[in-house]
Amino acid sequence: MENQTSSQALISKSWKYFIIVGVIVALAGLGATSLPVIAGVTISTIIGTLLLITGLVQVYHTFRIHSWKEKLWYVLSALLYIVGGLFILFNPLEGLMTITTIMVVVMIFNGLTRMIFGMTNRSLPGSGMVILSGLLSVVIGGYFFFLLDNPEFSLSLLGTFVGVSLLLEGISFIFLGLQMKKLVNNK
């Protein structure tokens, strides 16, 4: 009984925060879909910065490694992170196009693996939907792959994906908050 009371108290206080966060995230999604190139460059800049920081941390960490064989691989890995991060930071549009291409290729391979999983596990309920979702990912990813030659498309795809994702996430938070509010009002 006490557990139910404490969870009700938590719900009664937190539904407002879900709606507030949902509105903020949905607005960010609208902004990203309205300005997808800027959103994409922002995302690629964040990725470039994270790659650079990771590489620098690995370089620092190599001073703690005493075995030359282990140190060599760590240094090579760190250099790849640093070069990748600097490439993205100094060439943000090329970095954005590279990240977008990687995203599309991953989408295709993800679809292929889902199709293979669904086909090899036909006895599982819902395997047909897994195969269908994999097929859709492969078809859409293939379509996007052939459109990557178009600079306008390839520069705006990542920002559009992230914008739509944020918009849907924000809407789901708003609906969750409204459902929590109904639950509080019904008690």
Side-chain angles (χ1 to χ4, degrees):
M1 214 27 120
E2 189 173 309
N3 252 355
Q4 189 176 10
T5 307
S6 63
S7 64
Q8 286 175 346
L10 179 66
I11 289 173
S12 70
K13 292 178 183 176
S14 62
W15 69 266
K16 296 172 193 167
Y17 298 113
F18 275 90
I19 292 176
I20 292 169
V21 168
V23 168
I24 292 169
V25 171
L27 288 174
L30 286 174
T33 55
S34 299
L35 303 167
V37 176
I38 292 173
V41 169
T42 302
I43 293 162
S44 67
T45 301
I46 291 169
I47 291 171
T49 303
L50 290 174
L51 288 173
L52 181 61
I53 290 169
T54 301
L56 293 174
V57 168
Q58 280 191 339
V59 166
Y60 173 77
H61 187 255
T62 59
F63 293 112
R64 303 239 185 252
I65 298 173
H66 301 292
S67 168
W68 177 248
K69 188 176 183 180
E70 291 173 7
K71 185 180 276 197
L72 177 65
W73 288 110
Y74 227 72
V75 168
L76 288 174
S77 173
L79 286 175
L80 284 174
Y81 277 113
I82 291 170
V83 168
L86 290 174
F87 169 76
I88 292 171
L89 291 173
F90 287 120
N91 303 301
L93 294 178
E94 289 86 351
L96 173 58
M97 291 177 77
T98 303
I99 293 168
T100 301
T101 303
I102 292 169
M103 180 187 73
V104 169
V105 169
V106 166
M107 182 180 185
I108 293 168
F109 281 116
N110 186 328
L112 288 172
T113 59
R114 278 185 288 161
M115 287 173 62
I116 292 168
F117 175 80
M119 288 180 200
T120 57
N121 294 287
R122 292 290 296 156
S123 61
L124 292 175
S127 63
M129 288 305 293
V130 172
I131 295 169
L132 179 62
S133 73
L135 180 62
L136 284 173
S137 288
V138 169
V139 169
I140 294 169
Y143 176 69
F144 288 164
F145 189 78
F146 286 109
L147 290 176
L148 288 176
D149 286 342
N150 179 344
E152 291 175 9
F153 177 80
S154 58
L155 289 174
S156 63
L157 183 61
L158 181 63
T160 302
F161 266 8
V162 170
V164 169
S165 178
L166 287 172
L167 180 62
L168 294 174
E169 184 80 18
I171 290 170
S172 69
F173 266 76
I174 293 168
F175 281 130
L176 184 60
L178 292 172
Q179 292 301 316
M180 291 168 73
K181 182 181 178 187
K182 277 185 190 176
L183 187 65
V184 168
N185 290 340
N186 289 338
K187 297 283 177 176

